[in-house]
Amino acid sequence: MSQTPISDIYLEPERYELHSDGSPHCSKMARRQFFKVLGGGIVVLFTTTSALAQRRQGGRGNRRAGGETPAELSAWLHVGEEGTVTVYTGKAEVGQNIRTSLTQVVAEELPTPLDSIRLVMGDTDLTPYDRGTFGSRTTPTMAPQLRKAAAAARQLLITLAAEQWNVEGDSIVVADGKVSHRKTDQSLDFGQLTKGQKLMKTIGEDVLTTPAERWQIAGRSVPKVDAREMVTGRHHYSSDIQRDGMLHGKVLRPSAFSSSLISLNIQKAETMKGVTVVREDDFIGLVAPNEHLADRAIEAIEAQWNHPSQPSHEELFDYLKQHPVETRGWGGRSNHRQGSVEEGLKAADIMLEGSYTLAYIAHAPLEPRAAVAEWEAGKLTVWTGTQRPFGVRGQLAEAFGISEERVRVIMPDTGSGYGGKHTGEAAVEATRLAKAVGKPVKLVWTREEEFTWAYFRPAGLIEIQSSVKADGRLATWEYHNYNSGGSAIRTPYQVPHQKVQFHPADSPLRQGSYRALASTANVFARETHMDELANALKMDPLEFRLKNLKDARLKAVLEAAAERLGWEKRKSESHRGIGIAGGVEKGGYMATCAEVQVDPKSSEVKITRLVAAFECGAIINPDGLMNQIEGSIIMGMGGALSEAIEFENGVIKNPRFSDYRVPRFSHIPPIETVLLNRRDLPSAGGGETPIVAIAPSIGNAIFDATGVRHRSLPMRPNEGKT
Amino acid sequence: MQKRMTLHVNDGQYRIESDTARSLLNVLRNELSLTGSKYGCGEGQCGACTVLIDGRPRRSCITPVGAVAEKRIKTIESMEKNGQLHPLQEAFVEREAMQCGYCTAGMIMSGVALLEKNQNPSENEIVRSMNGNICRCGTYPRIVDAIRQAAEMMRGDAK
Ligand code: FES
Ligand code: FES
């Protein structure tokens, strides 16, 4: 099928994230546009010569030949004559609250009320090029850039005021949207200072900004800037966009993956009033004046498909192990050897083997993929919820053979993504239909389409062979991960002899990024195995971890979570258990403790308490961060306990919320969160890492309570119990 | 079956002609431009499309429009009155009981329905009556808090 090709970039999501697409460059359009859209005032352009920093951070082999990287426009900011500050960034808001946290960092450097700052985000005509919103990179990379642009604007305002008033710059104060000189009692609004002229300043990396210890606005909990739009239903998501003359589109889906069409009868659909069927090769879609009619028309199409036989979830893990694929040089990043496992084993006292599996799971963002496409005079505009608006622009330009300059992708803050909206399927489909019928077309995927034709978090099989000495020190660690990925694959524990390997496999389902990528899989396997080792040694699981750990930041979160739970005071009671797990990913440190209770009669397991400790450097918005941590934990509970994609012969068997069980109100135990604020360290993102330790902490607690060890996700601990 | 009917939505009356089997959600969003109610599943499982019909929370995605002519329909758009948020909306803002906000309208409508029949719901009662609403972003604990806070505010106002 042409509509959702299984592209090999999805075979290993980490690799995909690093590669991303296209060469970084200034958006020419953005440069041209800002002269048009702006009146007088101050424009600060932030250019960076380390545009590839994001890539270098991630790994290696990304540097372009030639060494020198061009200066790249990566953010810009406009102080208008009314004193409003408009900030332009290619990042996208998907519920992770960066619209608010980025507003805060701007207000920190350019002190003005938060409601006079507006962020224009993810609009390929208006904002500088951005590779995409993933990998928790907004806080460590975009926040400092906006901070610098804002600081430069402040500097410029001070210089202007000093000239006008003929006073020393350092006697001038900028606060609350005003520039003032106390001694001479003069004060002007930001806008008044520029007197209608347009002042442009280009800045680079070397602008000084306020250190975290002195933050006034950043570092505090401020309310979500667009909360009012959300609670009133006024915010327009992509699926809410209306255009004049707009029609509603639908695409005919094959009965299974990798199908080919054998017969097609569109007669009935075509005779329905207002319906136009569009057929281009294997793409069959239609438009209708409303969704209801579009649905009925698509049902009226008779099609027969042929598809090869395909593996099912039952045989998945054997299949993954038996179907390796070429690593194309990238597997190396995840492979690690140290010492000699064979040698190390000779001096070990206890040996242990374990094999761990994780099912495919779906992101299931509550807003499914949606797009509105409109062609006008050879120029295409598409509104769509995506974490990579520029990537989707490229995808559209390629699909329709036009230059990127003639494509504009606008990303209205979307009904979330969790790593699941990196691609532009709905955008391409809506555009194809709009082009064929010469009208704007809206296309909203159904829940079933979202569950079937989007991509999944990779399933994985992880095999560990380890050994310890009788005194509790790790001796050897051999670790093989099939398919799930390389994120956090290296153990943070001290082990002299290691062999760690990632084995990419031929995934039967389309797979891609997911919140925190494979670190959830790797932390689950590792932290479960660590618990098994502690048990074999008859050692306290926390003590065993601390004994083998040097990383002070990871130790700190483990200790903080344990302390809040009351780990030391725990008594071994029957029917009650506690468990702990920790992990490091994307600059964040997470530890989770779980407490479970077992019903003595039904032996049903109930999670009674969760405690999380998280550290990600200097915190920008504590309440916003808490919200992300709670959300990650709750999402993580789904993958840990109940979520699994079932499939057979190219068909998803449970593409509905009634069959695919996600966490609901009644599943949520009390959650306590401890934030460790390290103002001395740069800020890292917090929307992903807090998901990593929840599953093993629950599994370890269940073991503590029942002696039953769960090595597969989802654990479904109550399956078959009443 | 195509039929003419009158819909009473919020404080307005709308004469429409529609297939009676068409979902209320679809009519609200496409014909009346009331896009605050959201599509999340189309099978009554997520609550994103919740509206009040004669005061009861109903999933508009599985409610045929033909069944609600002549009934009182309230959507999220009617909750703010003269620039004044409903106490539950206010509590959602204050507790930041949302991330992407896509579930929010449905959560608020379900919550309002609960508060209208129970001024002092216990945590259990909240969980029970909200369990049909999914927040994929996982803001459940905050939503529970917001409902409690709104209940308190509303009781205070009533005194
Ligand atoms: S859209 Fe109606 S319940 Fe999900
Ligand atoms: S806030 Fe995103 S689904 Fe609830």
Side-chain angles (χ1 to χ4, degrees):
Chain A
M1 282 305 301
S2 59
Q3 39 192 310
T4 41
I6 301 187
S7 158
D8 59 6
I9 56 174
Y10 295 107
L11 288 173
E12 206 276 287
E14 278 82 348
R15 194 192 316 155
Y16 162 50
E17 289 221 338
L18 290 171
H19 260 318
S20 199
D21 66 308
S23 54
H25 59 280
C26 291
S27 160
K28 275 190 227 111
M29 196 56 88
R31 230 192 252 152
R32 239 182 286 138
Q33 285 285 339
F34 57 68
F35 289 107
K36 266 196 264 164
V37 293
L38 303 179
I42 292 175
V43 180
V44 176
L45 304 180
F46 181 87
T47 61
T48 166
T49 45
S50 58
L52 297 184
Q54 196 166 336
R55 297 179 166 203
R56 283 197 204 117
Q57 264 261 343
R60 52 179 195 82
N62 286 313
R63 252 161 279 192
R64 294 201 300 191
E68 267 304 291
T69 48
E72 177 184 352
L73 175 63
S74 74
W76 58 289
L77 176 153
H78 174 234
V79 185
E81 288 174 274
E82 276 75 53
T84 47
V85 178
T86 313
V87 181
Y88 297 81
T89 163
K91 290 291 174 207
E93 171 68 57
V94 292
Q96 78 286 44
N97 209 25
I98 57 173
R99 186 175 285 285
T100 303
S101 62
L102 292 176
T103 301
Q104 277 180 280
V105 303
V106 169
E108 180 66 52
E109 302 298 336
L110 186 55
T112 188
L114 291 173
D115 58 9
S116 57
I117 300 173
R118 193 171 69 97
L119 256 74
V120 175
M121 304 175 77
D123 178 329
T124 61
D125 265 16
L126 297 180
T127 66
Y129 176 85
D130 189 89
R131 263 179 295 279
T133 306
F134 48 70
S136 284
R137 303 304 304 159
T138 302
T139 300
T141 63
M142 185 48 65
Q145 292 174 11
L146 295 185
R147 193 178 275 292
K148 284 171 187 161
R154 181 191 60 209
Q155 249 328 302
L156 197 55
L157 287 167
I158 291 175
T159 311
L160 285 175
E163 274 167 21
Q164 269 182 45
W165 298 331
N166 205 3
V167 298
E168 288 294 314
D170 48 19
S171 62
I172 288 176
V173 182
V174 183
D176 209 24
K178 287 187 173 27
V179 184
S180 328
H181 188 244
R182 289 248 172 73
K183 262 201 235 127
T184 57
D185 203 20
Q186 300 186 80
S187 172
L188 283 174
D189 291 345
F190 288 178
Q192 292 170 313
L193 267 169
T194 54
K195 294 187 188 153
Q197 347 156 39
K198 189 181 285 182
L199 301 168
M200 178 142 354
K201 190 177 166 102
T202 302
I203 57 155
E205 299 278 2
D206 48 356
V207 177
L208 285 183
T209 54
T210 315
E213 293 81 15
R214 300 211 326 261
W215 287 352
Q216 303 279 330
I217 301 159
R220 276 193 349 214
S221 297
V222 308
K224 196 172 173 69
V225 291
D226 47 357
R228 204 182 170 99
E229 265 56 52
M230 311 250 151
V231 300
T232 52
R234 272 201 297 268
H235 172 66
H236 283 167
Y237 297 85
S238 311
S239 43
D240 301 328
I241 302 284
Q242 309 266 12
R243 305 295 297 169
D244 280 347
M246 185 179 85
L247 297 170
H248 294 263
K250 280 293 304 170
V251 173
L252 183 72
R253 305 291 173 192
S255 54
F257 299 129
S258 312
S259 292
S260 49
L261 189 62
I262 6 180
S263 77
L264 181 74
N265 182 349
I266 57 173
Q267 238 171 22
K268 250 192 251 158
E270 264 186 328
T271 53
M272 293 169 92
K273 206 173 144 224
V275 173
T276 310
V277 178
V278 176
R279 181 169 183 192
E280 288 169 15
D281 304 322
D282 262 359
F283 175 89
I284 300 139
L286 55 81
V287 296
N290 64 60
E291 280 169 275
H292 177 65
L293 201 55
D295 286 346
R296 283 188 36 216
I298 214 86
E299 278 163 23
I301 293 181
E302 288 158 27
Q304 277 190 312
W305 307 87
N306 217 346
H307 62 87
S309 80
Q310 295 164 60
S312 82
H313 64 268
E314 308 256 344
E315 64 211 271
L316 174 64
F317 301 111
D318 290 337
Y319 183 91
L320 291 175
K321 199 168 172 184
Q322 284 153 17
H323 291 79
V325 292
E326 274 302 307
T327 62
R328 272 174 258 120
W330 280 89
R333 182 171 68 89
S334 309
N335 295 345
H336 175 69
R337 264 170 199 272
Q338 183 180 323
S340 151
V341 170
E342 291 71 35
E343 280 303 303
L345 274 174
K346 291 180 191 153
D349 296 310
I350 301 176
M351 274 173 270
L352 194 70
E353 277 186 21
S355 150
Y356 309 84
T357 62
L358 296 94
Y360 288 106
I361 60 176
H363 309 79
L366 204 57
E367 183 188 29
R369 282 165 166 69
V372 174
E374 179 173 289
W375 289 89
E376 209 183 31
K379 167 140 194 183
L380 170 66
T381 304
V382 177
W383 290 260
T384 192
T386 172
Q387 296 172 248
R388 292 174 58 244
F390 288 87
V392 171
R393 180 182 66 175
Q395 209 178 334
L396 288 164
E398 201 184 313
F400 297 95
I402 53 175
S403 72
E404 291 197 349
E405 254 108 273
R406 284 167 56 204
V407 183
R408 178 181 186 184
V409 174
I410 301 172
M411 149 73 189
D413 295 3
T414 193
S416 214
Y418 322 111
K421 285 186 181 163
H422 286 192
T423 43
E425 301 87 348
V428 172
E429 291 164 355
T431 302
R432 195 176 292 287
L433 293 171
K435 193 172 181 206
V437 299
K439 294 253 176 65
V441 171
K442 181 193 285 190
L443 186 122
V444 181
W445 278 22
T446 62
R447 176 55 53 197
E448 186 169 340
E449 287 177 301
E450 181 67 39
F451 264 124
T452 307
W453 298 98
Y455 53 85
F456 303 99
R457 180 196 75 179
L461 163 69
I462 294 165
E463 293 176 336
I464 308 177
Q465 285 135 25
S466 71
S467 65
V468 282
K469 301 208 167 148
D471 66 358
R473 277 179 300 132
L474 286 159
T476 66
W477 186 258
E478 180 159 352
Y479 188 99
H480 298 273
N481 174 324
Y482 298 88
N483 191 57
S484 55
S487 272
I489 197 171
R490 297 265 297 266
T491 175
Y493 299 103
Q494 300 294 310
V495 199
H497 305 284
Q498 298 184 29
K499 182 175 173 191
V500 176
Q501 231 170 336
F502 169 54
H503 308 267
D506 172 26
S507 167
L509 298 187
R510 186 177 180 223
Q511 56 183 19
S513 297
Y514 183 96
R515 202 171 200 172
L517 302 172
S519 49
T520 303
N522 288 317
V523 173
F524 167 66
R526 183 161 56 236
E527 287 294 279
T528 305
H529 194 82
M530 287 296 283
D531 222 64
E532 293 179 56
L533 282 170
N535 184 57
L537 283 158
K538 299 193 171 47
M539 231 174 130
D540 176 81
L542 174 63
E543 189 194 332
F544 173 59
R545 284 176 172 79
L546 295 175
K547 181 167 191 135
N548 286 285
L549 210 52
K550 262 203 189 133
D551 188 329
R553 293 173 76 182
L554 184 54
K555 272 187 174 173
V557 287
L558 283 166
E559 281 166 342
E563 192 192 319
R564 171 64 74 87
L565 181 90
W567 187 270
E568 296 298 332
K569 279 185 247 115
R570 79 176 175 142
K571 277 191 246 103
S572 86
E573 280 172 42
S574 59
H575 309 309
R576 182 180 162 274
I578 59 174
I580 191 166
V584 188
E585 172 67 4
K586 300 192 164 80
Y589 294 76
M590 180 68 177
T592 310
C593 288
E595 191 181 282
V596 302
Q597 204 102 45
V598 183
D599 187 307
K601 278 208 208 95
S602 66
S603 65
E604 193 178 326
V605 177
K606 197 169 179 249
I607 300 165
T608 46
R609 196 175 162 211
L610 294 173
V611 175
F614 186 57
E615 189 257 291
C616 59
I619 298 169
I620 297 177
N621 180 343
D623 191 53
L625 180 60
M626 288 271 212
N627 203 341
Q628 286 301 316
I629 296 172
E630 291 159 10
S632 298
I633 289 176
I634 290 170
M635 183 164 229
M637 285 178 67
L641 297 168
S642 60
E643 289 180 36
I645 286 291
E646 290 158 18
F647 60 98
E648 197 185 326
N649 227 350
V651 178
I652 302 297
K653 306 299 270 182
N654 57 345
R656 278 164 243 104
F657 281 132
S658 46
D659 297 325
Y660 182 96
R661 308 304 288 185
V662 300
R664 289 179 182 266
F665 278 96
S666 58
H667 303 142
I668 314 303
I671 300 173
E672 294 158 58
T673 307
V674 186
L675 294 182
L676 305 184
N677 192 2
R678 289 290 301 270
R679 291 200 150 193
D680 55 320
L681 293 170
S683 309
E688 302 192 66
T689 305
I691 202 173
V692 301
I694 181 72
S697 72
I698 293 174
N700 295 343
I702 293 177
F703 176 78
D704 189 40
T706 64
V708 176
R709 179 62 75 184
H710 286 278
R711 297 189 184 85
S712 295
L713 298 188
M715 295 181 231
R716 296 194 174 116
N718 295 321
E719 193 146 278
K721 294 174 192 164
T722 42
Chain B
M1 189 183 51
Q2 206 68 12
K3 207 179 141 190
R4 285 176 172 278
M5 55 194 121
T6 306
L7 291 184
H8 301 268
V9 183
N10 301 334
D11 288 320
Q13 288 195 14
Y14 302 84
R15 301 229 14 109
I16 59 159
E17 197 191 315
S18 165
D19 182 347
T20 51
R22 190 171 169 192
S23 77
L24 172 62
L25 177 66
N26 202 265
V27 172
L28 291 172
R29 291 178 51 81
N30 292 329
E31 306 304 325
L32 313 187
S33 290
L34 295 171
T35 54
S37 309
K38 305 297 182 206
Y39 169 88
C41 69
E43 53 154 355
Q45 284 285 331
C46 77
C49 64
T50 306
V51 299
L52 303 188
I53 296 175
D54 288 343
R56 296 219 184 87
R58 288 288 176 261
R59 308 296 184 227
S60 62
C61 68
I62 48 169
T63 304
V65 68
V68 294
E70 306 306 322
K71 301 206 168 151
R72 302 249 146 237
I73 301 163
K74 268 195 182 182
T75 71
I76 187 71
E77 284 86 356
S78 70
M79 289 293 121
E80 183 187 24
K81 298 231 161 64
N82 308 318
Q84 184 72 45
L85 295 179
H86 183 283
L88 186 55
Q89 289 176 309
E90 240 171 76
F92 263 67
V93 174
E94 245 170 66
R95 288 295 300 130
E96 199 168 308
M98 77 209 80
Q99 286 180 20
C100 74
Y102 197 78
C103 68
T104 307
M107 291 287 180
I108 289 178
M109 297 314 285
S110 296
V112 165
L114 167 66
L115 291 172
E116 272 171 17
K117 61 170 208 249
N118 183 348
Q119 276 82 47
N120 193 5
S122 67
E123 179 160 342
N124 264 337
E125 288 168 327
I126 296 175
V127 165
R128 226 180 307 133
S129 66
M130 299 296 292
N131 218 31
N133 287 67
I134 293 176
C135 174
R136 238 349 225 160
C137 297
T139 64
Y140 298 119
R142 286 162 183 259
I143 294 172
V144 172
D145 282 358
I147 293 175
R148 278 224 209 93
Q149 183 177 325
E152 226 168 86
M153 273 157 66
M154 287 162 78
R155 289 200 305 275
D157 286 352
K159 263 181 224 152

